[in-house]
mmCIF file with all atom_site columns, all heavy atoms in Angstrom:
data_model
loop_
_atom_site.group_PDB
_atom_site.id
_atom_site.type_symbol
_atom_site.label_atom_id
_atom_site.label_alt_id
_atom_site.label_comp_id
_atom_site.label_asym_id
_atom_site.label_entity_id
_atom_site.label_seq_id
_atom_site.pdbx_PDB_ins_code
_atom_site.Cartn_x
_atom_site.Cartn_y
_atom_site.Cartn_z
_atom_site.occupancy
_atom_site.B_iso_or_equiv
_atom_site.pdbx_formal_charge
_atom_site.auth_seq_id
_atom_site.auth_comp_id
_atom_site.auth_asym_id
_atom_site.auth_atom_id
_atom_site.pdbx_PDB_model_num
ATOM 1   N N   . LYS A 1 106 ? 146.368 -28.536 70.437 1.00 97.00 ? 1249 LYS A N   1
ATOM 2   C CA  . LYS A 1 106 ? 147.367 -29.036 69.475 1.00 97.00 ? 1249 LYS A CA  1
ATOM 3   C C   . LYS A 1 106 ? 148.634 -28.194 69.592 1.00 97.00 ? 1249 LYS A C   1
ATOM 4   O O   . LYS A 1 106 ? 148.583 -27.032 70.026 1.00 97.00 ? 1249 LYS A O   1
ATOM 5   C CB  . LYS A 1 106 ? 146.791 -29.002 68.038 1.00 97.00 ? 1249 LYS A CB  1
ATOM 6   C CG  . LYS A 1 106 ? 146.492 -27.594 67.481 1.00 97.00 ? 1249 LYS A CG  1
ATOM 7   C CD  . LYS A 1 106 ? 147.704 -26.972 66.850 1.00 97.00 ? 1249 LYS A CD  1
ATOM 8   C CE  . LYS A 1 106 ? 147.430 -25.572 66.376 1.00 97.00 ? 1249 LYS A CE  1
ATOM 9   N NZ  . LYS A 1 106 ? 148.624 -24.839 66.000 1.00 97.00 ? 1249 LYS A NZ  1
ATOM 10  N N   . PRO A 1 107 ? 149.776 -28.715 69.201 1.00 97.00 ? 1250 PRO A N   1
ATOM 11  C CA  . PRO A 1 107 ? 150.040 -30.123 68.867 1.00 97.00 ? 1250 PRO A CA  1
ATOM 12  C C   . PRO A 1 107 ? 150.086 -31.013 70.060 1.00 97.00 ? 1250 PRO A C   1
ATOM 13  O O   . PRO A 1 107 ? 150.228 -30.543 71.210 1.00 97.00 ? 1250 PRO A O   1
ATOM 14  C CB  . PRO A 1 107 ? 151.401 -30.058 68.153 1.00 97.00 ? 1250 PRO A CB  1
ATOM 15  C CG  . PRO A 1 107 ? 152.083 -28.892 68.758 1.00 97.00 ? 1250 PRO A CG  1
ATOM 16  C CD  . PRO A 1 107 ? 150.990 -27.897 69.064 1.00 97.00 ? 1250 PRO A CD  1
ATOM 17  N N   . ILE A 1 108 ? 149.976 -32.307 69.857 1.00 98.00 ? 1251 ILE A N   1
ATOM 18  C CA  . ILE A 1 108 ? 149.873 -33.255 70.980 1.00 98.00 ? 1251 ILE A CA  1
ATOM 19  C C   . ILE A 1 108 ? 151.112 -33.203 71.835 1.00 98.00 ? 1251 ILE A C   1
ATOM 20  O O   . ILE A 1 108 ? 151.041 -33.138 73.056 1.00 98.00 ? 1251 ILE A O   1
ATOM 21  C CB  . ILE A 1 108 ? 149.664 -34.694 70.412 1.00 98.00 ? 1251 ILE A CB  1
ATOM 22  C CG1 . ILE A 1 108 ? 148.358 -34.772 69.618 1.00 98.00 ? 1251 ILE A CG1 1
ATOM 23  C CG2 . ILE A 1 108 ? 149.694 -35.698 71.543 1.00 98.00 ? 1251 ILE A CG2 1
ATOM 24  C CD1 . ILE A 1 108 ? 148.180 -36.055 68.837 1.00 98.00 ? 1251 ILE A CD1 1
ATOM 25  N N   . ALA A 1 109 ? 152.308 -33.289 71.220 1.00 98.00 ? 1252 ALA A N   1
ATOM 26  C CA  . ALA A 1 109 ? 153.552 -33.338 71.967 1.00 98.00 ? 1252 ALA A CA  1
ATOM 27  C C   . ALA A 1 109 ? 154.709 -32.958 71.068 1.00 98.00 ? 1252 ALA A C   1
ATOM 28  O O   . ALA A 1 109 ? 154.499 -32.504 69.912 1.00 98.00 ? 1252 ALA A O   1
ATOM 29  C CB  . ALA A 1 109 ? 153.738 -34.750 72.563 1.00 98.00 ? 1252 ALA A CB  1
ATOM 30  N N   . GLN A 1 110 ? 155.937 -33.163 71.525 1.00 97.00 ? 1253 GLN A N   1
ATOM 31  C CA  . GLN A 1 110 ? 157.116 -32.746 70.774 1.00 97.00 ? 1253 GLN A CA  1
ATOM 32  C C   . GLN A 1 110 ? 157.799 -33.855 69.943 1.00 97.00 ? 1253 GLN A C   1
ATOM 33  O O   . GLN A 1 110 ? 158.693 -33.551 69.186 1.00 97.00 ? 1253 GLN A O   1
ATOM 34  C CB  . GLN A 1 110 ? 158.151 -32.155 71.736 1.00 97.00 ? 1253 GLN A CB  1
ATOM 35  C CG  . GLN A 1 110 ? 157.750 -30.814 72.278 1.00 97.00 ? 1253 GLN A CG  1
ATOM 36  C CD  . GLN A 1 110 ? 158.854 -30.171 73.123 1.00 97.00 ? 1253 GLN A CD  1
ATOM 37  O OE1 . GLN A 1 110 ? 159.184 -30.651 74.193 1.00 97.00 ? 1253 GLN A OE1 1
ATOM 38  N NE2 . GLN A 1 110 ? 159.486 -29.108 72.591 1.00 97.00 ? 1253 GLN A NE2 1
ATOM 39  N N   . THR A 1 111 ? 157.363 -35.064 70.141 1.00 97.00 ? 1254 THR A N   1
ATOM 40  C CA  . THR A 1 111 ? 157.905 -36.176 69.353 1.00 97.00 ? 1254 THR A CA  1
ATOM 41  C C   . THR A 1 111 ? 156.779 -37.139 68.965 1.00 97.00 ? 1254 THR A C   1
ATOM 42  O O   . THR A 1 111 ? 155.733 -37.171 69.654 1.00 97.00 ? 1254 THR A O   1
ATOM 43  C CB  . THR A 1 111 ? 158.980 -36.967 70.113 1.00 97.00 ? 1254 THR A CB  1
ATOM 44  O OG1 . THR A 1 111 ? 158.357 -37.678 71.207 1.00 97.00 ? 1254 THR A OG1 1
ATOM 45  C CG2 . THR A 1 111 ? 160.090 -36.052 70.643 1.00 97.00 ? 1254 THR A CG2 1
ATOM 46  N N   . LEU A 1 112 ? 156.982 -37.895 67.915 1.00 97.00 ? 1255 LEU A N   1
ATOM 47  C CA  . LEU A 1 112 ? 155.984 -38.880 67.521 1.00 97.00 ? 1255 LEU A CA  1
ATOM 48  C C   . LEU A 1 112 ? 155.826 -39.927 68.610 1.00 97.00 ? 1255 LEU A C   1
ATOM 49  O O   . LEU A 1 112 ? 154.743 -40.393 68.855 1.00 97.00 ? 1255 LEU A O   1
ATOM 50  C CB  . LEU A 1 112 ? 156.395 -39.500 66.194 1.00 97.00 ? 1255 LEU A CB  1
ATOM 51  C CG  . LEU A 1 112 ? 155.424 -40.597 65.657 1.00 97.00 ? 1255 LEU A CG  1
ATOM 52  C CD1 . LEU A 1 112 ? 154.015 -40.038 65.486 1.00 97.00 ? 1255 LEU A CD1 1
ATOM 53  C CD2 . LEU A 1 112 ? 155.954 -41.150 64.354 1.00 97.00 ? 1255 LEU A CD2 1
ATOM 54  N N   . SER A 1 113 ? 156.947 -40.312 69.221 1.00 97.00 ? 1256 SER A N   1
ATOM 55  C CA  . SER A 1 113 ? 156.914 -41.318 70.301 1.00 97.00 ? 1256 SER A CA  1
ATOM 56  C C   . SER A 1 113 ? 156.020 -40.822 71.434 1.00 97.00 ? 1256 SER A C   1
ATOM 57  O O   . SER A 1 113 ? 155.191 -41.619 71.966 1.00 97.00 ? 1256 SER A O   1
ATOM 58  C CB  . SER A 1 113 ? 158.296 -41.580 70.832 1.00 97.00 ? 1256 SER A CB  1
ATOM 59  O OG  . SER A 1 113 ? 158.300 -42.415 71.949 1.00 97.00 ? 1256 SER A OG  1
ATOM 60  N N   . GLU A 1 114 ? 156.115 -39.584 71.829 1.00 98.00 ? 1257 GLU A N   1
ATOM 61  C CA  . GLU A 1 114 ? 155.286 -39.057 72.886 1.00 98.00 ? 1257 GLU A CA  1
ATOM 62  C C   . GLU A 1 114 ? 153.810 -39.042 72.497 1.00 98.00 ? 1257 GLU A C   1
ATOM 63  O O   . GLU A 1 114 ? 152.917 -39.345 73.296 1.00 98.00 ? 1257 GLU A O   1
ATOM 64  C CB  . GLU A 1 114 ? 155.733 -37.657 73.288 1.00 98.00 ? 1257 GLU A CB  1
ATOM 65  C CG  . GLU A 1 114 ? 157.046 -37.610 74.011 1.00 98.00 ? 1257 GLU A CG  1
ATOM 66  C CD  . GLU A 1 114 ? 157.493 -36.215 74.359 1.00 98.00 ? 1257 GLU A CD  1
ATOM 67  O OE1 . GLU A 1 114 ? 156.957 -35.251 73.751 1.00 98.00 ? 1257 GLU A OE1 1
ATOM 68  O OE2 . GLU A 1 114 ? 158.374 -36.055 75.237 1.00 98.00 ? 1257 GLU A OE2 1
ATOM 69  N N   . CYS A 1 115 ? 153.533 -38.677 71.243 1.00 98.00 ? 1258 CYS A N   1
ATOM 70  C CA  . CYS A 1 115 ? 152.162 -38.694 70.731 1.00 98.00 ? 1258 CYS A CA  1
ATOM 71  C C   . CYS A 1 115 ? 151.561 -40.118 70.871 1.00 98.00 ? 1258 CYS A C   1
ATOM 72  O O   . CYS A 1 115 ? 150.411 -40.290 71.348 1.00 98.00 ? 1258 CYS A O   1
ATOM 73  C CB  . CYS A 1 115 ? 152.094 -38.246 69.281 1.00 98.00 ? 1258 CYS A CB  1
ATOM 74  S SG  . CYS A 1 115 ? 152.546 -36.535 69.012 1.00 98.00 ? 1258 CYS A SG  1
ATOM 75  N N   . CYS A 1 116 ? 152.332 -41.106 70.442 1.00 98.00 ? 1259 CYS A N   1
ATOM 76  C CA  . CYS A 1 116 ? 151.869 -42.489 70.497 1.00 98.00 ? 1259 CYS A CA  1
ATOM 77  C C   . CYS A 1 116 ? 151.703 -42.970 71.933 1.00 98.00 ? 1259 CYS A C   1
ATOM 78  O O   . CYS A 1 116 ? 150.760 -43.752 72.240 1.00 98.00 ? 1259 CYS A O   1
ATOM 79  C CB  . CYS A 1 116 ? 152.801 -43.392 69.729 1.00 98.00 ? 1259 CYS A CB  1
ATOM 80  S SG  . CYS A 1 116 ? 152.862 -43.058 67.947 1.00 98.00 ? 1259 CYS A SG  1
ATOM 81  N N   . ARG A 1 117 ? 152.574 -42.555 72.810 1.00 98.00 ? 1260 ARG A N   1
ATOM 82  C CA  . ARG A 1 117 ? 152.446 -42.942 74.230 1.00 98.00 ? 1260 ARG A CA  1
ATOM 83  C C   . ARG A 1 117 ? 151.176 -42.400 74.846 1.00 98.00 ? 1260 ARG A C   1
ATOM 84  O O   . ARG A 1 117 ? 150.522 -43.056 75.669 1.00 98.00 ? 1260 ARG A O   1
ATOM 85  C CB  . ARG A 1 117 ? 153.703 -42.496 75.004 1.00 98.00 ? 1260 ARG A CB  1
ATOM 86  C CG  . ARG A 1 117 ? 154.921 -43.327 74.694 1.00 98.00 ? 1260 ARG A CG  1
ATOM 87  C CD  . ARG A 1 117 ? 156.166 -42.767 75.349 1.00 98.00 ? 1260 ARG A CD  1
ATOM 88  N NE  . ARG A 1 117 ? 156.056 -42.749 76.805 1.00 98.00 ? 1260 ARG A NE  1
ATOM 89  C CZ  . ARG A 1 117 ? 156.925 -42.186 77.619 1.00 98.00 ? 1260 ARG A CZ  1
ATOM 90  N NH1 . ARG A 1 117 ? 157.986 -41.561 77.114 1.00 98.00 ? 1260 ARG A NH1 1
ATOM 91  N NH2 . ARG A 1 117 ? 156.756 -42.235 78.918 1.00 98.00 ? 1260 ARG A NH2 1
ATOM 92  N N   . ILE A 1 118 ? 150.799 -41.157 74.473 1.00 98.00 ? 1261 ILE A N   1
ATOM 93  C CA  . ILE A 1 118 ? 149.544 -40.592 74.981 1.00 98.00 ? 1261 ILE A CA  1
ATOM 94  C C   . ILE A 1 118 ? 148.382 -41.411 74.481 1.00 98.00 ? 1261 ILE A C   1
ATOM 95  O O   . ILE A 1 118 ? 147.459 -41.745 75.226 1.00 98.00 ? 1261 ILE A O   1
ATOM 96  C CB  . ILE A 1 118 ? 149.412 -39.111 74.590 1.00 98.00 ? 1261 ILE A CB  1
ATOM 97  C CG1 . ILE A 1 118 ? 150.447 -38.277 75.375 1.00 98.00 ? 1261 ILE A CG1 1
ATOM 98  C CG2 . ILE A 1 118 ? 147.993 -38.600 74.826 1.00 98.00 ? 1261 ILE A CG2 1
ATOM 99  C CD1 . ILE A 1 118 ? 150.461 -36.809 74.940 1.00 98.00 ? 1261 ILE A CD1 1
ATOM 100 N N   . GLU A 1 119 ? 148.401 -41.761 73.184 1.00 98.00 ? 1262 GLU A N   1
ATOM 101 C CA  . GLU A 1 119 ? 147.305 -42.553 72.602 1.00 98.00 ? 1262 GLU A CA  1
ATOM 102 C C   . GLU A 1 119 ? 147.212 -43.910 73.287 1.00 98.00 ? 1262 GLU A C   1
ATOM 103 O O   . GLU A 1 119 ? 146.114 -44.348 73.634 1.00 98.00 ? 1262 GLU A O   1
ATOM 104 C CB  . GLU A 1 119 ? 147.569 -42.756 71.115 1.00 98.00 ? 1262 GLU A CB  1
ATOM 105 C CG  . GLU A 1 119 ? 146.494 -43.581 70.399 1.00 98.00 ? 1262 GLU A CG  1
ATOM 106 C CD  . GLU A 1 119 ? 146.837 -43.895 68.968 1.00 98.00 ? 1262 GLU A CD  1
ATOM 107 O OE1 . GLU A 1 119 ? 148.010 -43.733 68.580 1.00 98.00 ? 1262 GLU A OE1 1
ATOM 108 O OE2 . GLU A 1 119 ? 145.955 -44.358 68.237 1.00 98.00 ? 1262 GLU A OE2 1
ATOM 109 N N   . GLU A 1 120 ? 148.341 -44.538 73.508 1.00 98.00 ? 1263 GLU A N   1
ATOM 110 C CA  . GLU A 1 120 ? 148.357 -45.859 74.170 1.00 98.00 ? 1263 GLU A CA  1
ATOM 111 C C   . GLU A 1 120 ? 147.867 -45.765 75.622 1.00 98.00 ? 1263 GLU A C   1
ATOM 112 O O   . GLU A 1 120 ? 147.099 -46.642 76.077 1.00 98.00 ? 1263 GLU A O   1
ATOM 113 C CB  . GLU A 1 120 ? 149.757 -46.452 74.083 1.00 98.00 ? 1263 GLU A CB  1
ATOM 114 C CG  . GLU A 1 120 ? 150.196 -46.829 72.695 1.00 98.00 ? 1263 GLU A CG  1
ATOM 115 C CD  . GLU A 1 120 ? 151.699 -47.018 72.607 1.00 98.00 ? 1263 GLU A CD  1
ATOM 116 O OE1 . GLU A 1 120 ? 152.383 -46.933 73.660 1.00 98.00 ? 1263 GLU A OE1 1
ATOM 117 O OE2 . GLU A 1 120 ? 152.212 -47.253 71.487 1.00 98.00 ? 1263 GLU A OE2 1
ATOM 118 N N   . ALA A 1 121 ? 148.307 -44.754 76.326 1.00 98.00 ? 1264 ALA A N   1
ATOM 119 C CA  . ALA A 1 121 ? 147.906 -44.601 77.727 1.00 98.00 ? 1264 ALA A CA  1
ATOM 120 C C   . ALA A 1 121 ? 146.378 -44.356 77.806 1.00 98.00 ? 1264 ALA A C   1
ATOM 121 O O   . ALA A 1 121 ? 145.713 -44.914 78.715 1.00 98.00 ? 1264 ALA A O   1
ATOM 122 C CB  . ALA A 1 121 ? 148.654 -43.436 78.381 1.00 98.00 ? 1264 ALA A CB  1
ATOM 123 N N   . ALA A 1 122 ? 145.813 -43.550 76.915 1.00 98.00 ? 1265 ALA A N   1
ATOM 124 C CA  . ALA A 1 122 ? 144.389 -43.282 76.928 1.00 98.00 ? 1265 ALA A CA  1
ATOM 125 C C   . ALA A 1 122 ? 143.595 -44.567 76.664 1.00 98.00 ? 1265 ALA A C   1
ATOM 126 O O   . ALA A 1 122 ? 142.579 -44.821 77.308 1.00 98.00 ? 1265 ALA A O   1
ATOM 127 C CB  . ALA A 1 122 ? 144.063 -42.226 75.873 1.00 98.00 ? 1265 ALA A CB  1
ATOM 128 N N   . ARG A 1 123 ? 144.104 -45.378 75.747 1.00 97.00 ? 1266 ARG A N   1
ATOM 129 C CA  . ARG A 1 123 ? 143.399 -46.646 75.452 1.00 97.00 ? 1266 ARG A CA  1
ATOM 130 C C   . ARG A 1 123 ? 143.487 -47.576 76.628 1.00 97.00 ? 1266 ARG A C   1
ATOM 131 O O   . ARG A 1 123 ? 142.482 -48.229 77.003 1.00 97.00 ? 1266 ARG A O   1
ATOM 132 C CB  . ARG A 1 123 ? 144.065 -47.307 74.220 1.00 97.00 ? 1266 ARG A CB  1
ATOM 133 C CG  . ARG A 1 123 ? 143.333 -48.555 73.738 1.00 97.00 ? 1266 ARG A CG  1
ATOM 134 C CD  . ARG A 1 123 ? 144.082 -49.242 72.595 1.00 97.00 ? 1266 ARG A CD  1
ATOM 135 N NE  . ARG A 1 123 ? 144.325 -48.343 71.490 1.00 97.00 ? 1266 ARG A NE  1
ATOM 136 C CZ  . ARG A 1 123 ? 145.530 -47.916 71.081 1.00 97.00 ? 1266 ARG A CZ  1
ATOM 137 N NH1 . ARG A 1 123 ? 146.606 -48.380 71.747 1.00 97.00 ? 1266 ARG A NH1 1
ATOM 138 N NH2 . ARG A 1 123 ? 145.660 -47.110 70.098 1.00 97.00 ? 1266 ARG A NH2 1
ATOM 139 N N   . ARG A 1 124 ? 144.648 -47.623 77.253 1.00 97.00 ? 1267 ARG A N   1
ATOM 140 C CA  . ARG A 1 124 ? 144.817 -48.539 78.425 1.00 97.00 ? 1267 ARG A CA  1
ATOM 141 C C   . ARG A 1 124 ? 143.937 -48.109 79.575 1.00 97.00 ? 1267 ARG A C   1
ATOM 142 O O   . ARG A 1 124 ? 143.382 -48.984 80.267 1.00 97.00 ? 1267 ARG A O   1
ATOM 143 C CB  . ARG A 1 124 ? 146.308 -48.538 78.808 1.00 97.00 ? 1267 ARG A CB  1
ATOM 144 C CG  . ARG A 1 124 ? 146.605 -49.318 80.104 1.00 97.00 ? 1267 ARG A CG  1
ATOM 145 C CD  . ARG A 1 124 ? 148.119 -49.423 80.324 1.00 97.00 ? 1267 ARG A CD  1
ATOM 146 N NE  . ARG A 1 124 ? 148.786 -48.169 80.203 1.00 97.00 ? 1267 ARG A NE  1
ATOM 147 C CZ  . ARG A 1 124 ? 148.855 -47.245 81.168 1.00 97.00 ? 1267 ARG A CZ  1
ATOM 148 N NH1 . ARG A 1 124 ? 148.272 -47.440 82.330 1.00 97.00 ? 1267 ARG A NH1 1
ATOM 149 N NH2 . ARG A 1 124 ? 149.496 -46.104 80.979 1.00 97.00 ? 1267 ARG A NH2 1
#
Side-chain angles (χ1 to χ4, degrees):
K1249 65 87 183 169
I1251 297 169
Q1253 288 186 291
T1254 68
L1255 179 57
S1256 173
E1257 289 179 342
C1258 294
C1259 294
R1260 285 173 63 187
I1261 289 174
E1262 180 187 14
E1263 291 164 4
R1266 186 184 306 114
R1267 173 172 50 82

